Amino acid sequence: MFEIVRRDGLARIGRFETRSGILETPALLPVVNPKILTITPAELYEEFGFKALITNSYIIKNSDDIRERALNEGLHSLLGFPGIVMTDSGTFQSHMYGEVEVSNEEIIEFQKNIGSDIGTVLDIFTEPFWSEEETSASIDVTLKRTRDAVSMKGDMMIAGVVQGSVYPDLRRMCSERMKEMDVDVHPIGGVVPLMEQYRYSELVDVIINSKMGLSPDRPVHLFGAGHPMILSLAVLLGCDMFDSASYAKFARDDRMMFIDGTYRIEDMLSLDCKCPACKDHTLETLRALPEKERIRTVARHNLYEITKELALVKRYILEGRLWELVEQRCRSHPALLDALRRLNVYRDFLETYEPISRDGAMFYTGPETRNRPAFRRYEKRIEERYVPVTDKAALFEDREGKPYGRSYCEDFARVRSSGYVPIVLSPFGPVPAELDEIYPIAQSLFPSVADKETEEYSENSVMEFVSRSGFSEVADMDDVPHGNGGYDHLPEKAKAVARYQFGKEAADALICGNVKIVTSKNTGKIRNVISDDEHVLSMRAGDGLFTLRPEGALRIVEKVPGPHMRVVVSDDAVPFVSEGRNVFCAFVKECDPEIRTMDEVLVVDGNGKLLAVGRAMLIRDEMLSFRKGVAVKVRDGVGKS
């Protein structure tokens, strides 16, 4: 069973339960060849902290002495490894050397007999140069073998491999068919040639199209991906597990892995690594080591580089900053930069998993930052949900700092007094003054010297916005004189934020009649919204968005048809949720597909009665797929009778 503990978009820290223990993801499984132990499994567990490894059942089966020991003692005893052991089936050997002399049924049964925790189907490795027809035919074979393996698995978990070469439609088709089977782990296969040839942009296509069809409650394993330079990107795309023999293979070739690439010892000019394997060595002493000792030292170094990067990736997930790390890493090689730019094609898919806000600031690292899903969400919502206060706009340059309403306080007041809406030309595009404190507008940092691409994007998007919004008059801020009228901006700000966050219909239900805005005495910012003497909303200082109060939730239930903002729970959960307890995935019956992580949501029963108000921890597909974990963190139970 798999459970999400923390997440950052598609990236997730999870708990994967197996019969030999719990694996925290993202995790790398070092490949261990039982005939060549460069680093022993016991060392991998004790020194490096790897709780799982992968070994090849085909090699074991075809080695007489090892096979008998594995059958008699069990795989864990054979390897001397107390953690989780996954086995490959011989598919890669088939890819490298031709057909293997074993059937799918034989290798599945063998993996069961030697005590593998996670056995792998003997799938067909799809080469990048294969035709679409050849690839499609091979997928049919892989799917049949996976169905057969599932029927045989017993208490062993099964890894069903997603194949499809470089054809996105075939990858999605294969993953959708796999979703229907009782598979426990989904490796994405056939990608080693892409990584060896630095075809990282195509790797993005392969991973995302595979993810699109898979069930989110199963961990995704990227076969053959173990280089630290690719890990952050793969995790960002939703891969949970990895494996690689490169730490040992590279060591036997005197190659050291670093975050920015792989380097031969003979070509290196210095050794600036302070990992436990290198700390007592200079480049000269490392070169002078006897071959066997040098291989072992370099292999240990490679493993430390991998574990260091994985630990950093986890920290960035916890901090909600993984995009920044990926953007930094992808600038280490042009092929990785291609991959980063390729993400722009999938902005709408990635936006589905993007949290409504984050705790920290968004750092701009270059033009590719605009490809982040947070930008896409702002673009869509400003187009679909923003309603101008008047039909006149005054344009401001983004030069005075954030929030704009504070730095441009007097100028904003001046143009409002003449009936103009202040609109700032920002790197996000147009920012109406009413939205200048919401995430990510106010919580972002950009360099003071803008790049040409960002300047052009800002100008073009503002002009499109002005044209689309139907303003009858548009003026530069300096050309607007003081007026004698204008409008009260605080109620308009509350309405604009509510529309942006909840949609137009819900905002109209929340803010109507006699509206009173309660502000902070210290900052003047909105704190509470009172509508017809009911406290309907409270504004959060951290992200400038609203917390929905029970009275406001009741208004939405009464006036806005479902499934908008709703999470429907089963009857068994009703009494507990009504008392303010969290909603667990196992009790979710249905959910609004537009809900995003950290969105304010209404928890209702099967008849639509409001039970509670809270924040979504998952999106719809995840709530309906997972059997464990919190779906909604409830803040107020309101349905108790």
Side-chain angles (χ1 to χ4, degrees):
M1 184 174 291
F2 185 59
E3 174 188 3
I4 295 178
V5 177
R6 291 289 294 272
R7 58 111 48 81
D8 184 356
L10 276 171
R12 49 200 192 176
I13 294 177
R15 284 168 50 89
F16 182 40
E17 295 183 18
T18 77
R19 63 185 179 188
S20 290
I22 295 173
L23 180 66
E24 182 182 89
T25 65
L28 183 126
L29 284 61
V31 175
V32 171
N33 185 332
K35 302 175 73 173
I36 311 172
L37 296 178
T38 306
I39 306 293
T40 68
E43 290 174 301
L44 292 172
Y45 187 88
E46 295 166 5
E47 179 180 352
F48 297 95
F50 290 108
K51 302 305 180 186
L53 58 76
I54 185 168
T55 191
N56 194 288
S57 62
Y58 180 74
I59 292 176
I60 295 173
K61 189 176 187 301
N62 284 274
S63 304
D64 293 342
D65 55 337
I66 302 178
R67 180 181 66 249
E68 294 308 312
R69 285 188 57 200
L71 289 169
N72 293 329
E73 303 172 19
L75 189 57
H76 293 76
S77 177
L78 170 72
L79 298 173
F81 187 74
I84 301 160
V85 179
M86 180 176 178
T87 46
D88 199 358
S89 59
T91 295
F92 194 69
Q93 281 67 31
S94 175
H95 158 67
M96 293 294 292
Y97 311 116
E99 287 298 318
V100 294
E101 296 179 358
V102 67
S103 69
N104 180 56
E105 290 77 10
E106 288 173 335
I107 202 65
I108 293 297
E109 191 64 31
F110 182 72
Q111 290 174 84
K112 283 173 56 180
N113 291 339
I114 62 177
S116 174
D117 295 306
I118 307 168
T120 304
V121 175
L122 184 64
D123 56 304
I124 305 296
F125 192 105
T126 54
E127 300 279 7
F129 56 83
W130 282 9
S131 69
E132 191 167 356
E133 292 74 17
E134 187 178 9
T135 302
S136 180
S138 73
I139 289 175
D140 290 340
V141 176
T142 291
L143 291 171
K144 180 184 183 305
R145 291 179 179 181
T146 304
R147 282 192 296 272
D148 293 341
V150 166
S151 69
M152 297 173 58
K153 71 175 186 176
D155 61 354
M156 179 181 72
M157 288 182 164
I158 281 293
V161 186
V162 177
Q163 292 287 356
S165 185
V166 294
Y167 303 103
D169 290 346
L170 293 182
R171 287 282 178 177
R172 280 199 305 277
M173 179 273 288
C174 184
S175 59
E176 288 167 357
R177 298 273 295 278
M178 288 278 182
K179 183 179 181 178
E180 301 168 358
M181 305 179 197
D182 186 19
V183 173
D184 303 282
V185 182
H186 286 293
I188 299 175
V191 296
V192 170
L194 297 179
M195 291 185 286
E196 290 178 339
Q197 298 166 32
Y198 287 74
R199 295 163 65 177
Y200 295 133
S201 178
E202 291 171 273
L203 182 65
V204 167
D205 295 333
V206 165
I207 295 173
I208 290 186
N209 283 280
S210 298
K211 285 285 294 186
M212 284 179 175
L214 291 173
S215 181
D217 64 331
R218 302 169 186 173
V220 174
H221 183 135
L222 189 60
F223 263 154
H227 200 294
M229 69 189 298
I230 196 69
L231 290 177
S232 63
L233 175 63
V235 172
L236 180 78
L237 298 179
C239 296
D240 306 291
M241 297 163 61
F242 311 88
D243 72 90
S244 181
S246 58
Y247 72 95
K249 289 182 178 179
F250 286 175
R252 290 193 287 273
D253 198 26
D254 278 347
R255 289 193 288 171
M256 302 184 75
M257 301 165 73
F258 293 95
I259 190 58
D260 59 344
T262 308
Y263 301 91
R264 294 184 183 276
I265 296 175
E266 63 185 40
D267 298 330
M268 294 171 60
L269 300 178
S270 66
L271 180 65
D272 55 0
C273 179
K274 300 301 179 184
C275 78
C278 297
K279 64 183 179 65
D280 295 327
H281 285 289
T282 64
L283 193 56
E284 290 71 23
T285 61
L286 182 61
R287 287 170 174 163
L289 289 175
E291 181 181 15
K292 187 174 181 179
E293 186 178 350
R294 187 175 67 251
I295 291 173
R296 176 176 163 78
T297 301
V298 173
R300 291 179 65 241
H301 158 84
N302 291 341
L303 287 169
Y304 278 120
E305 283 291 299
I306 292 168
T307 57
K308 181 174 70 173
E309 181 66 5
L310 270 180
L312 189 64
V313 166
K314 288 181 181 179
R315 176 165 73 83
Y316 271 75
I317 293 174
L318 292 171
E319 295 174 357
R321 299 170 54 214
L322 186 59
W323 275 93
E324 291 166 23
L325 179 64
V326 171
E327 288 172 4
Q328 295 166 25
R329 294 294 187 246
C330 285
R331 285 183 168 80
S332 68
H333 194 284
L336 282 172
L337 191 55
D338 281 339
L340 181 63
R341 292 172 175 170
R342 184 64 179 170
L343 294 179
N344 185 48
V345 176
Y346 301 103
R347 291 174 80 199
D348 286 328
F349 173 71
L350 295 171
E351 186 274 331
T352 305
Y353 294 86
E354 177 72 8
I356 198 70
S357 70
R358 299 172 183 270
D359 292 334
M362 174 189 287
F363 281 53
Y364 178 90
T365 68
E368 293 77 21
T369 298
R370 290 201 317 277
N371 295 340
R372 294 192 198 179
F375 276 75
R376 178 56 178 157
R377 174 176 297 148
Y378 180 75
E379 289 175 359
K380 290 173 65 177
R381 293 197 176 188
I382 198 72
E383 178 180 347
E384 298 169 359
R385 300 186 179 187
Y386 177 70
V387 179
V389 180
T390 76
D391 66 347
K392 296 189 291 185
L395 302 184
F396 288 72
E397 291 185 25
D398 180 6
R399 66 186 183 199
E400 297 293 334
K402 301 173 191 174
Y404 304 122
R406 189 175 302 173
S407 56
Y408 275 121
C409 181
E410 294 182 1
D411 290 312
F412 276 10
R414 172 173 55 82
V415 301
R416 285 189 183 115
S417 71
S418 296
Y420 284 75
V421 179
I423 296 174
V424 180
L425 287 76
S426 83
F428 285 93
V431 177
E434 308 98 291
L435 299 177
D436 75 330
E437 293 181 11
I438 66 169
Y439 180 89
I441 305 301
Q443 300 79 11
S444 57
L445 292 174
F446 293 82
S448 57
V449 180
D451 55 83
K452 185 177 180 181
E453 290 178 79
T454 298
E455 286 183 331
E456 290 179 351
Y457 168 80
S458 177
E459 293 174 4
N460 293 337
S461 59
V462 169
M463 292 304 104
E464 290 175 7
F465 168 78
V466 166
S467 174
R468 184 176 63 244
S469 300
F471 290 107
S472 63
E473 187 176 339
V474 179
D476 184 87
M477 57 170 281
D478 294 327
D479 297 333
V480 179
H482 276 287
N484 298 319
Y487 56 90
D488 185 352
H489 73 281
L490 287 179
E492 297 301 334
K493 183 183 185 74
K495 291 177 185 176
V497 174
R499 291 185 189 115
Y500 181 92
Q501 187 175 356
F502 306 122
K504 293 178 182 178
E505 197 172 359
D508 289 343
L510 289 165
I511 305 176
C512 58
N514 182 23
V515 177
K516 178 184 177 182
I517 305 298
V518 180
T519 59
S520 167
K521 294 180 180 179
N522 296 325
T523 66
K525 294 183 177 182
I526 295 174
R527 283 293 170 259
N528 299 305
V529 178
I530 313 297
S531 175
D532 287 337
D533 297 324
E534 290 185 332
H535 181 190
V536 293
L537 296 167
S538 295
M539 183 168 280
R540 302 191 290 261
D543 61 7
L545 297 172
F546 283 122
T547 293
L548 185 62
R549 307 303 305 166
E551 293 82 359
L554 284 167
R555 290 187 175 197
I556 296 174
V557 168
E558 292 170 0
K559 298 181 180 181
V560 183
H564 188 67
M565 296 176 64
R566 271 80 155 181
V567 176
V568 184
V569 297
S570 63
D571 293 342
D572 291 343
V574 168
F576 304 101
V577 176
S578 299
E579 294 174 353
R581 298 190 186 181
N582 291 334
V583 176
F584 290 90
C585 294
F587 299 98
V588 175
K589 292 177 61 179
E590 194 44 86
C591 175
D592 178 4
E594 295 301 314
I595 286 174
R596 301 296 182 251
T597 308
M598 303 308 292
D599 252 334
E600 295 287 307
V601 296
L602 318 172
V603 184
V604 299
D605 65 14
N607 297 316
K609 179 185 177 183
L610 182 67
L611 305 175
V613 184
R615 297 185 81 177
M617 296 292 103
L618 305 170
I619 65 171
R620 178 183 182 274
D621 287 351
E622 294 169 331
M623 291 187 193
L624 298 178
S625 297
F626 281 94
R627 307 315 300 162
K628 192 172 182 180
V630 176
V632 178
K633 185 171 285 188
V634 170
R635 182 173 55 254
D636 297 294
V638 298
K640 187 175 181 181
S641 57

